[in-house]
Amino acid sequence: MVAEEKEKISTIESIEKGWYILCCQVGKELEIKERLEQKINNTPNIKEKIFEVLVPEEEEIQIKKGEKIRVKKAVYKGYIYIHMVITPETYSFVRSIVGVKGFLGGARPQKLSEKEVENLKKLADKLKSETPKIVRKFEVGDTVRIIDGPFKHFVGVVDEINEEKGKVKVSIKLFGRPTSMELEFVQVEKA
């Protein structure tokens, strides 16, 4: 560590306990959170200084190769929230985790306000109680293949999408006539 960075970090000692934002590798927030929590649990005396790591996450259902897959994703891409006491030791400890780019504010991390923390925790709780949303990869006018149900393997065109119900209206040719049917998102994939 460079001498002037050590100097900056030593001024950090006066900052009290609070919630801070870590910048990290986008798309790896949950992995990095897990790594950080494991390292905290395996390091003596650090639990008294790092209290909680939070990544608000949502669950979605994706269709891959005709299978429903539940995927958890971070709501705020590239950010992890951490409740801790900033000292040179904890600063270096957190920065040493693979995928962590640094604190928001650099060598002088900025503490979140009580209101921001309250809103963050409310959002995290709300997301945990929500049912997973189904991710669709098609739009009105797209050609789709039916992958489930009595019309499996038929190909049709998307006429209408109902996001709230997770349903789609698809026109297929049945006995030479266009026929419209309502299907769930998980029953079709983009052709």
Side-chain angles (χ1 to χ4, degrees):
M1 200 181 286
V2 183
E4 64 186 54
E5 192 172 315
K6 279 185 180 181
E7 234 176 83
K8 285 180 185 176
I9 293 171
S10 65
T11 62
I12 291 172
E13 290 177 334
S14 62
I15 299 174
E16 72 275 7
K17 171 172 84 169
W19 281 90
Y20 299 91
I21 300 174
L22 286 176
C23 300
C24 68
Q25 190 176 356
V26 175
K28 302 287 185 182
E29 300 85 1
L30 298 172
E31 261 179 61
I32 295 167
K33 175 189 179 218
E34 194 175 300
R35 249 185 256 141
L36 185 55
E37 288 173 335
Q38 284 176 348
K39 191 169 179 182
I40 291 167
N41 290 330
N42 295 332
T43 306
N45 303 324
I46 206 75
K47 287 182 189 176
E48 294 100 42
K49 296 175 185 166
I50 301 177
F51 313 105
E52 188 179 351
V53 181
L54 178 66
V55 176
E57 60 189 62
E58 61 186 348
E59 191 174 33
E60 56 186 36
I61 297 173
Q62 296 180 353
I63 312 302
K64 295 200 178 176
K65 297 182 182 176
E67 305 242 347
K68 295 180 195 177
I69 300 171
R70 288 180 174 257
V71 178
K72 290 185 178 188
K73 290 187 168 188
V75 175
Y76 300 116
K77 307 290 182 214
Y79 297 104
I80 295 174
Y81 302 88
I82 186 165
H83 188 209
M84 64 186 285
V85 175
I86 297 270
T87 65
E89 176 195 14
T90 58
Y91 182 90
S92 296
F93 178 87
V94 171
R95 291 272 294 131
S96 71
I97 303 295
V98 175
V100 172
K101 294 179 180 177
F103 284 88
L104 196 64
R108 295 183 183 270
Q110 299 173 355
K111 194 164 68 164
L112 292 172
S113 71
E114 291 298 320
K115 185 73 175 164
E116 289 171 319
V117 173
E118 185 182 315
N119 290 339
L120 190 64
K121 287 188 173 192
K122 279 182 187 175
L123 174 66
D125 290 341
K126 179 183 171 217
L127 290 170
K128 283 180 187 174
S129 65
E130 285 183 353
T131 56
K133 65 179 181 180
I134 299 170
V135 177
R136 64 177 172 87
K137 296 187 177 174
F138 48 82
E139 301 293 330
V140 172
D142 284 352
T143 302
V144 293
R145 181 178 303 106
I146 300 171
I147 57 172
D148 188 32
F151 297 98
K152 187 175 181 176
H153 303 297
F154 276 72
V155 175
V157 177
V158 176
D159 291 331
E160 193 178 308
I161 298 172
N162 187 333
E163 291 282 350
E164 292 171 9
K165 291 183 179 178
K167 297 201 176 207
V168 60
K169 277 194 180 174
V170 177
S171 289
I172 63 167
K173 290 237 181 203
L174 192 59
F175 305 117
R177 293 183 169 180
T179 305
S180 184
M181 60 181 57
E182 190 174 69
L183 301 165
E184 294 182 23
F185 286 170
V186 295
Q187 291 180 286
V188 298
E189 68 181 8
K190 194 168 182 177

